[in-house]
Amino acid sequence: MILSRTFPRVLEGVAALLLSTASTGAAAQQARNVILLLGDAGGLPTLNAGGILANDAPQSLYLHTMPNIALSDTSSRNQWVTDSAAGMTAIVTGHKTDNGMVSTLPSANGAVVPVKTLLEYAEERGLSTGVMTNMKIWDATPAATFAHVGTRKDKAAIFKQMLAPRYGNGVDILIGKGRADAIAAFAEQQTTPEKAFAAAGYGFGEDPALAQQGGRIAVLRDSDFAPIPAVEATIAQLARNPKGYFLMVEWDMHTDDPKKGLTHVKEMDDMIRRVSQIAGKDTLILFTADHSFGLRLGGGERGVPLLQQYNTEAAKPGVTAATNDVISVQDGHTGEEVVVAASGPGADKVHGFMPNTRLFDVMLSAYGWKQDRQAR
Ligand SMILES: [Zn+2]
């Protein structure tokens, strides 16, 4: 803004004051980057038991120190209990949809209607984007950030859309499992993942450390990997873009195998602590779950490690836990609210009870963006 020479001095002062207020206000409230950390099935009962299992103390996770907390409804458009597809669609598009649908809405004529995701808003604006998961890269939660399919089972279409983005040049860093699935899906197109990703401008491999080599990277593997080095490499690369970045990290916390799921709570919590250390003050960090899960901590003595107090086999779903009620798993996904924890610019909008769709608004407005009139 250039002020005219004849502009009265006093108004000039007021204008300068307004400008400086506006700019410092924007610096305080606007995020350059958003990191969405999704504990899949990481409801309150799982965070509670996972934290006690890790530290033998209540409220001992890093998550418990995050300044802004809300409770998010996770119901889907057609069910009280959501699956991961509809749950993640609500979070990244602001629209509740039917279970099984991935960033699409049902329509009267039976066709599915794609809805624009936060990752697509970011790509459209030239930000860098990343998706990292300890699940398969084409699974419903990661897929909802970049793909639009009527059913989460449509693996071939999800892989195709991964390399045919509607906005920008698509996800810049992809790290996840499902390498064997990728080989099968690309074989149907008479190609291999190596060739298909290379043609789309990606470096391709199995080691998450590839993320720091520069350029666009797809890491697909069939085994687990350490989250902290992977997320450090990813953030270091994404942060090179002065326009900012959007990163979604999913860590599975399903407790069908309670010991495994609860161990993942600590793994993810340690990762969130590290992310909070390395992401700058201009980063909105948001943790939530797409839905809760039917795990309960039903007993246990203080002073004895929790792991010694329950039979990890007896605690599995369908196993009657008559002799051991310290931890039990009675069913799958459940419908109660999940916690949202946030820090950084825009985190102050995270409070009270909210629908999961509001998380989309929180992230979009943290960037200072407005939702398209027709967000298709
Ligand atoms: Zn889920």
Side-chain angles (χ1 to χ4, degrees), residues 41-42 49 53 56 73 97 121 238 258 293 320:
L53 185 75
D56 287 304
D73 162 57
T97 192
Y121 277 87
L238 295 177
F293 201 86
T320 309

Side-chain angles (χ1 to χ4, degrees), residues 38 40-41 83-85 141 250 254 290-291 333:
L38 200 289
D40 202 311
D83 78 321
S84 296
T141 301
E250 176 199 29
H254 280 83
D290 50 350
H291 50 79
H333 295 189

Side-chain angles (χ1 to χ4, degrees), residues 281-305:
K281 287 199 185 329
D282 52 0
T283 304
L284 170 64
I285 296 174
L286 207 59
F287 165 84
T288 194
D290 50 350
H291 50 79
S292 192
F293 201 86
L295 173 133
R296 289 292 179 274
L297 179 62
E301 280 185 40
R302 295 183 86 132
V304 182

